[in-house]
Amino acid sequence: MANHDALPLVILTEQFAKLPGIGIKTATRLAYHVMSMPSDEVEAFSQALLHAKRTVHYCKCCENLTDSDFCPICNDNSRDKSTICVVETPKDISAFERTGEYKGVYHVLHGLISPLKNILPDDLKIRSLIARVQQGNIQEVIMATNPTVEGDATASYISQLLKPFGVTVTRLAFGLPVGGILEYADEVTLYKALENRNAM
Amino acid sequence: MANHDALPLVILTEQFAKLPGIGIKTATRLAYHVMSMPSDEVEAFSQALLHAKRTVHYCKCCENLTDSDFCPICNDNSRDKSTICVVETPKDISAFERTGEYKGVYHVLHGLISPLKNILPDDLKIRSLIARVQQGNIQEVIMATNPTVEGDATASYISQLLKPFGVTVTRLAFGLPVGGILEYADEVTLYKALENRNAM
């Protein structure tokens, strides 16, 4: 925004521009849009920000985001509490829940180990995962971190930590995405698909 | 967001999704991002929304957005008050100001006449424009609405209204965009470029 713009508008634009994936042009457009919104809608938006930040925290069991002590999945008695799916972010839970196939529970790490970004194991929610496994009754821990260098490294690190507890640790399958086109698959994916081929 | 998400997060996501150009996936990403922001930054964002909406209103002269009675451009004594550039939105002013070439003042219509969308002349800031011209001392009114059907229609409508006041009414030039490639220009633009050709 230029210096002829009203200061409160400039400040609002800067706030929008801090959000991920929102550049200065989009932020300007959003700030102008807010000006054309009814006052009560702007107040609702402003309140929603504060309310979400103030009331939402980590689930005492799985570290998912929730506004009560335990998240709805941990509270759900129909879920299989002996299987834990370990994910990087709360968003990943939504992805698994959309499949409707997974009946176990989750554990959110809130990051991946990355020495380059100075993210060490202690910065993640690994200790609470170990504590859950230590309490017993866990059959399987599924490492569902992203198939990236950091995701793989974090999965291996945690699987080493879990070995002494005699729990089965598995990793998501790698292969061709369903509906994908072989021609466009990268070499590593194709190699993994070949390596993990199944009998028909 | 799925029903396992915390309600305050769902509400925040819905608020983000109301913004133009932000779909449900982006809204979810932004809501989760807010959860990872420090509390004071979320409060600053929330405040910026309220403050901008409460303090920013229309300039008493040109209808631009401002937080004082008159906008900085109308308050600027070095600007040529005898030339008014008529634009659709406050954003358009920023575009002209970036050129650094225009020394006159502006008038913001806050929309374009569109019978299909039920936007009639009385819904725009046309009356205050006529009043400015009526007060005298205006030499030229530049119609700088977009080169669309609605922009052209609004420009013609206003130019008819201004005729009795003996003021010069001009329209932005149409032609090839600078740096554009002839091959990709649409037929109407090319026709306009040909029609308005200049001696070299």
Side-chain angles (χ1 to χ4, degrees), chain A residues 151-187:
Chain A
D152 284 342
T154 307
S156 318
Y157 177 85
I158 294 174
S159 112
Q160 291 300 318
L161 286 182
L162 292 177
K163 258 195 183 149
F165 303 104
V167 70
T168 308
V169 182
T170 55
R171 182 91 173 97
L172 286 188
F174 296 139
L176 292 173
V178 177
I181 296 169
L182 215 113
E183 190 184 337
Y184 299 133
D186 64 290
E187 300 86 56

Coordinates of all heavy atoms in Angstrom, one line a residue, chain A residues 151-187:
Chain A
G151 N 10.7 -36.3 7.0 CA 9.7 -37.2 7.5 C 10.2 -38.6 7.7 O 9.9 -39.2 8.7
D152 N 11.1 -39.0 6.8 CA 11.7 -40.4 6.9 C 12.6 -40.4 8.2 O 12.6 -41.4 8.9 CB 12.5 -40.7 5.7 CG 11.6 -41.1 4.5 OD1 10.4 -41.4 4.8 OD2 12.1 -41.1 3.4
A153 N 13.4 -39.4 8.3 CA 14.4 -39.4 9.4 C 13.7 -39.4 10.8 O 14.0 -40.1 11.7 CB 15.3 -38.1 9.3
T154 N 12.6 -38.6 10.9 CA 11.8 -38.5 12.1 C 11.2 -39.9 12.4 O 11.2 -40.4 13.5 CB 10.7 -37.4 12.0 OG1 11.4 -36.2 11.6 CG2 10.0 -37.2 13.3
A155 N 10.7 -40.5 11.3 CA 10.0 -41.8 11.5 C 11.0 -42.9 12.0 O 10.8 -43.6 12.9 CB 9.4 -42.3 10.2
S156 N 12.3 -42.8 11.4 CA 13.3 -43.8 11.8 C 13.7 -43.5 13.3 O 13.8 -44.5 14.1 CB 14.6 -43.7 11.0 OG 14.3 -43.6 9.7
Y157 N 13.9 -42.3 13.6 CA 14.3 -41.9 15.0 C 13.3 -42.4 16.0 O 13.7 -43.1 17.0 CB 14.5 -40.4 15.0 CG 14.8 -39.9 16.4 CD1 16.1 -39.8 16.9 CD2 13.8 -39.4 17.3 CE1 16.5 -39.4 18.1 CE2 14.1 -39.0 18.6 CZ 15.5 -38.9 19.0 OH 15.8 -38.5 20.2
I158 N 12.0 -42.2 15.7 CA 11.0 -42.6 16.7 C 10.9 -44.1 16.8 O 10.7 -44.7 17.8 CB 9.6 -41.9 16.4 CG1 9.7 -40.4 16.5 CG2 8.5 -42.5 17.2 CD1 8.5 -39.6 16.1
S159 N 11.0 -44.7 15.6 CA 10.9 -46.2 15.6 C 12.0 -46.8 16.4 O 11.8 -47.9 17.1 CB 10.9 -46.7 14.1 OG 12.0 -47.4 13.8
Q160 N 13.2 -46.2 16.4 CA 14.3 -46.7 17.3 C 14.0 -46.6 18.7 O 14.2 -47.5 19.5 CB 15.6 -45.9 17.0 CG 16.2 -46.1 15.6 CD 16.6 -47.6 15.4 OE1 17.2 -48.2 16.3 NE2 16.4 -48.1 14.2
L161 N 13.4 -45.4 19.1 CA 13.0 -45.2 20.5 C 12.0 -46.2 21.0 O 11.9 -46.5 22.1 CB 12.4 -43.7 20.6 CG 13.4 -42.6 20.6 CD1 12.6 -41.3 20.8 CD2 14.5 -42.7 21.6
L162 N 11.1 -46.6 20.0 CA 9.9 -47.4 20.4 C 10.3 -48.9 20.5 O 9.6 -49.7 21.1 CB 8.8 -47.2 19.4 CG 8.1 -45.9 19.5 CD1 7.0 -45.8 18.4 CD2 7.5 -45.6 20.9
K163 N 11.5 -49.3 19.9 CA 11.9 -50.7 19.9 C 11.8 -51.4 21.2 O 11.3 -52.5 21.3 CB 13.2 -50.8 19.2 CG 13.1 -51.3 17.8 CD 14.4 -51.8 17.2 CE 14.2 -52.1 15.7 NZ 15.4 -51.9 14.9
P164 N 12.4 -50.8 22.3 CA 12.5 -51.5 23.6 C 11.1 -51.9 24.1 O 11.0 -52.8 25.0 CB 13.1 -50.4 24.5 CG 13.8 -49.5 23.6 CD 13.0 -49.5 22.3
F165 N 10.0 -51.2 23.6 CA 8.7 -51.5 24.2 C 8.0 -52.7 23.5 O 6.9 -53.0 23.8 CB 7.8 -50.3 24.2 CG 8.5 -49.1 24.9 CD1 9.0 -48.1 24.1 CD2 8.5 -49.1 26.3 CE1 9.6 -47.0 24.8 CE2 9.1 -48.0 26.9 CZ 9.7 -47.0 26.2
G166 N 8.7 -53.3 22.5 CA 8.1 -54.4 21.8 C 6.8 -54.2 21.1 O 6.0 -55.0 20.9
V167 N 6.6 -52.9 20.6 CA 5.4 -52.6 19.9 C 5.7 -52.6 18.4 O 6.9 -52.4 18.0 CB 5.0 -51.1 20.3 CG1 6.0 -50.1 19.8 CG2 3.6 -50.8 19.9
T168 N 4.7 -53.0 17.6 CA 4.9 -53.1 16.1 C 5.0 -51.6 15.6 O 4.0 -50.9 15.8 CB 3.8 -53.8 15.5 OG1 3.6 -55.1 16.1 CG2 4.1 -54.0 14.0
V169 N 6.0 -51.3 14.9 CA 6.1 -50.0 14.3 C 6.0 -50.1 12.8 O 6.8 -50.9 12.2 CB 7.4 -49.2 14.7 CG1 7.4 -47.8 14.1 CG2 7.5 -49.1 16.2
T170 N 5.1 -49.5 12.1 CA 4.9 -49.6 10.7 C 5.1 -48.2 10.0 O 5.0 -47.2 10.7 CB 3.6 -50.2 10.3 OG1 2.6 -49.4 10.9 CG2 3.4 -51.6 10.7
R171 N 5.3 -48.2 8.7 CA 5.4 -47.0 7.9 C 4.4 -47.0 6.8 O 4.1 -48.1 6.3 CB 6.8 -46.9 7.4 CG 7.2 -45.6 6.6 CD 7.7 -44.6 7.5 NE 8.2 -43.4 6.8 CZ 7.5 -42.3 6.6 NH1 6.3 -42.2 7.1 NH2 8.0 -41.2 6.0
L172 N 3.8 -45.9 6.4 CA 2.9 -45.8 5.3 C 3.5 -46.4 4.1 O 4.7 -46.3 3.9 CB 2.5 -44.4 5.0 CG 1.5 -43.7 6.0 CD1 1.1 -42.3 5.4 CD2 0.3 -44.5 6.2
A173 N 2.8 -47.1 3.2 CA 3.3 -47.6 2.0 C 3.6 -46.5 1.0 O 2.9 -45.5 0.9 CB 2.3 -48.5 1.3
F174 N 4.7 -46.7 0.3 CA 5.1 -45.8 -0.8 C 4.8 -46.5 -2.1 O 5.0 -47.7 -2.3 CB 6.6 -45.4 -0.8 CG 6.9 -44.7 0.5 CD1 8.1 -44.9 1.2 CD2 6.1 -43.7 1.0 CE1 8.5 -44.2 2.3 CE2 6.4 -43.0 2.1 CZ 7.6 -43.3 2.8
G175 N 4.4 -45.7 -3.1 CA 4.1 -46.3 -4.5 C 3.4 -45.3 -5.3 O 3.4 -44.1 -5.0
L176 N 2.9 -45.7 -6.4 CA 2.2 -44.8 -7.4 C 0.9 -44.3 -6.7 O 0.2 -45.0 -6.1 CB 1.9 -45.5 -8.7 CG 3.0 -45.9 -9.5 CD1 2.5 -46.8 -10.7 CD2 3.8 -44.7 -10.0
P177 N 0.6 -43.0 -6.9 CA -0.6 -42.5 -6.4 C -1.7 -43.0 -7.3 O -1.6 -43.2 -8.5 CB -0.5 -41.0 -6.6 CG 0.6 -40.7 -7.5 CD 1.5 -41.9 -7.5
V178 N -2.9 -43.4 -6.7 CA -4.0 -43.9 -7.4 C -4.5 -42.9 -8.4 O -4.7 -41.7 -8.1 CB -5.2 -44.4 -6.5 CG1 -6.3 -44.9 -7.3 CG2 -4.7 -45.4 -5.5
G179 N -4.7 -43.3 -9.7 CA -5.1 -42.4 -10.7 C -4.0 -41.6 -11.3 O -4.1 -40.8 -12.2
G180 N -2.7 -41.9 -10.8 CA -1.6 -41.2 -11.3 C -1.1 -41.7 -12.7 O -1.6 -42.8 -13.1
I181 N -0.3 -41.0 -13.4 CA 0.2 -41.5 -14.7 C 1.7 -41.9 -14.5 O 2.5 -41.1 -14.1 CB 0.0 -40.4 -15.7 CG1 -1.5 -40.1 -15.9 CG2 0.6 -40.8 -17.0 CD1 -1.9 -38.9 -16.6
L182 N 2.0 -43.1 -14.9 CA 3.3 -43.7 -14.8 C 4.4 -42.7 -15.3 O 5.4 -42.5 -14.7 CB 3.3 -45.0 -15.5 CG 4.2 -46.0 -14.8 CD1 3.4 -47.2 -14.3 CD2 5.2 -46.6 -15.8
E183 N 4.1 -42.2 -16.5 CA 5.0 -41.3 -17.2 C 5.5 -40.1 -16.3 O 6.6 -39.7 -16.5 CB 4.3 -40.8 -18.5 CG 5.2 -40.1 -19.4 CD 4.4 -39.5 -20.6 OE1 3.3 -40.1 -20.9 OE2 4.8 -38.6 -21.2
Y184 N 4.6 -39.6 -15.5 CA 4.9 -38.5 -14.7 C 5.5 -38.8 -13.3 O 5.8 -37.9 -12.5 CB 3.7 -37.6 -14.6 CG 3.2 -37.0 -15.9 CD1 1.8 -37.1 -16.2 CD2 4.1 -36.5 -16.8 CE1 1.4 -36.6 -17.5 CE2 3.7 -36.1 -18.1 CZ 2.3 -36.1 -18.4 OH 1.9 -35.7 -19.6
A185 N 5.5 -40.1 -13.0 CA 6.0 -40.4 -11.6 C 7.5 -40.2 -11.6 O 8.2 -40.5 -12.5 CB 5.7 -41.9 -11.3
D186 N 8.0 -39.7 -10.4 CA 9.5 -39.5 -10.3 C 10.2 -40.9 -10.1 O 9.5 -41.9 -9.8 CB 9.8 -38.5 -9.2 CG 9.4 -39.1 -7.9 OD1 8.2 -39.2 -7.6 OD2 10.3 -39.5 -7.1
E187 N 11.5 -40.9 -10.3 CA 12.2 -42.2 -10.3 C 12.1 -42.9 -8.9 O 11.9 -44.1 -8.9 CB 13.7 -42.0 -10.6 CG 14.0 -41.4 -12.0 CD 13.9 -39.9 -11.9 OE1 14.7 -39.3 -11.1 OE2 13.2 -39.2 -12.7

